[in-house]
Amino acid sequence: MKPEDETITVTIPDRADHGGFPEHLKKYTISSKCPKCGAKRAIKRWKDYSYDGSRMLFCDRWDNACNHFDLYADVRIEAERDDFDKLTRMVDEARFNLSAKLGREPSLQEITDHLEAEGLIPPINEGVIV
């Protein structure tokens, strides 16, 4: 399976109380497999409304092959966990590469500088006056 087939990107509200405002729509990249059973996720997709109790917001809806359904709150948690896992892998890889290059354990600052230099993370202390 190609890496781009392992994930899907959905546009959903970034919060439960979105008030119908389009600025509360956000794209989330999640697994293409159901987190409950591993079956194909989002076999049928369409645009529909999310209702927060007061207003509606036009966003993505989908059906999974297994008939399990995805709550938007669960999708947001899954995407955040995936982002944390990706960052952890990037830090571990940078630490390993720098250890080999330096012949010693790199400091956290050296790892951060390396990730910034590679463009993998935005500058952390940009504009901060100490």
Side-chain angles (χ1 to χ4, degrees):
M1 181 182 280
K2 296 183 287 187
E4 60 270 17
D5 294 335
E6 295 176 7
T7 61
I8 59 171
T9 300
V10 295
T11 304
I12 64 170
D14 66 359
R15 62 190 67 189
D17 58 343
H18 53 68
F21 297 109
E23 57 266 21
H24 292 300
L25 284 176
K26 184 175 175 185
K27 290 184 185 291
Y28 292 90
T29 300
I30 54 175
S31 171
S32 63
K33 296 180 179 168
C34 172
K36 295 174 182 84
C37 70
K40 182 109 173 101
R41 184 186 239 171
I43 55 170
K44 179 183 171 195
R45 294 174 71 170
W46 67 95
K47 294 287 184 188
D48 203 354
Y49 291 99
S50 168
Y51 182 65
D52 74 354
S54 64
R55 303 250 164 92
M56 292 186 288
L57 186 60
F58 204 51
C59 58
D60 288 344
R61 296 274 186 180
W62 59 91
D63 286 335
N64 297 333
C66 57
N67 293 323
H68 288 125
F69 57 90
D70 296 311
L71 298 175
Y72 288 157
D74 294 338
V75 170
R76 289 189 288 269
I77 291 168
E78 179 183 344
E80 288 171 9
R81 184 180 60 243
D82 288 347
D83 287 346
F84 179 78
D85 291 344
K86 288 174 193 169
L87 180 60
T88 301
R89 284 192 299 277
M90 279 193 319
V91 169
D92 286 347
E93 185 178 324
R95 181 175 164 240
F96 176 80
N97 291 338
L98 284 171
S99 292
K101 182 179 174 182
L102 300 171
R104 62 175 171 77
E105 188 69 22
S107 69
L108 180 57
Q109 186 62 53
E110 289 171 321
I111 294 170
T112 303
D113 291 345
H114 174 77
L115 292 171
E116 287 178 1
E118 294 292 316
L120 297 171
I121 61 171
I124 293 177
N125 293 323
E126 189 174 278
V128 175
I129 301 172
V130 180

